Amino acid sequence: MSYQAYLNTIKQKTGKGPADFRAMAEVKGFTKSGELVVKATEITNWLKADFELGHGHAMAIYALLKGIKNEDSV
């Protein structure tokens, strides 16, 4: 599955896109000024609990928040 396919599926399931997840992570204190300040486990646990995402999809959002991937990644 491509990274874009992960983002598309997440958007379909949650109604939220990358900008939404960035904003929510900032509000929750997981990022400060756009920089991730927590470990991957905290992000994946949040996404699994609040959005019922699977591990792979949660890791796609982690990669987005960490800056490893962005909306233009394939």
Side-chain angles (χ1 to χ4, degrees), residues 52-68:
E52 299 179 354
L53 294 182
H55 187 75
H57 289 84
M59 286 302 293
I61 297 299
Y62 168 76
L64 178 80
L65 298 174
K66 179 79 173 165
I68 297 167

Side-chain angles (χ1 to χ4, degrees), residues 39-63:
K39 295 184 180 206
T41 303
E42 290 186 63
I43 300 296
T44 57
N45 287 345
W46 161 52
L47 296 169
K48 289 174 182 180
D50 288 9
F51 299 99
E52 299 179 354
L53 294 182
H55 187 75
H57 289 84
M59 286 302 293
I61 297 299
Y62 168 76

